[in-house]
Amino acid sequence: MTYWNRVFDLVVRSEVPCGTLVPFSPLEHYDVDFRIGPVEELSAPSEAVRYFAPRRGGIAMFLPEIMRCEVVGGCEVLIDPLTTDMDKIKLFMLGAAMSAILHQRGYAVIHGNAVVKDEKAYIFAGPSGIGKSTLAATFHQAGYGLLADDVIAIRFDSEGVPWALPSYPHVK
């Protein structure tokens, strides 16, 4: 089955269900393609660590007990699942793999959360577990719009003005 969604201003075609993303009508044109298929084994320093390596003009990722994956050209992600838990696959697919896609497409990528009010984005960045999602949820309850959770993509317009793009419609 094929799923169609829109995230970070990109049309995504995926063989993996993306649950919380905004559904989108199928098109002939899409920006990003998530496919399931075999990925060549990585020479990881250990089978117990996450591992990222350059490969064929892109990046290869090894996420222990979750998936192997290749991200190429800012438009293609090949996923080789190592689990049947699609929620775990989706988490890394929309986090690490999507971050690599955005970077390859020339976006600035920040690990954080963002809210919006009066057409201004407020970004909370920092390491995992520091409270970014809690802070964003608190602002959201106070009337701010939720703009991004975990991955923030920023593009610059022709005048150099930064724009934070909307991502997933949820907070962890």
Side-chain angles (χ1 to χ4, degrees), residues 63-68 80-83 85 88-89 92:
L63 304 163
E65 300 179 7
I66 298 169
M67 69 179 182
R68 284 188 208 90
D80 191 351
L82 303 174
T83 181
D85 186 340
K88 284 185 179 181
I89 292 171
F92 285 99

Side-chain angles (χ1 to χ4, degrees), residues 113-115 122 124 131-149 170-172:
N113 290 54
V115 294
Y122 300 89
F124 316 113
K132 299 177 300 294
S133 294
T134 302
L135 187 58
T138 301
F139 273 93
H140 183 62
Q141 289 173 346
Y144 287 68
L146 179 62
L147 187 63
D149 179 46
H170 75 281
V171 176
K172 287 186 202 171

Side-chain angles (χ1 to χ4, degrees), residues 10-74:
L10 301 171
V11 175
V12 175
R13 183 178 83 168
S14 177
E15 293 177 358
V16 177
C18 298
T20 58
L21 296 186
V22 176
F24 201 75
S25 298
L27 297 173
E28 287 184 28
H29 169 77
Y30 50 88
D31 301 300
V32 181
D33 190 19
F34 285 96
R35 294 181 298 109
I36 295 176
V39 172
E40 183 181 318
E41 296 246 2
L42 295 172
S43 300
S46 162
E47 289 297 311
V49 298
R50 293 181 189 175
Y51 185 67
F52 302 83
R55 182 185 284 170
R56 294 189 299 176
I59 186 168
M61 301 178 196
F62 172 70
L63 304 163
E65 300 179 7
I66 298 169
M67 69 179 182
R68 284 188 208 90
C69 147
E70 286 184 352
V71 182
V72 181

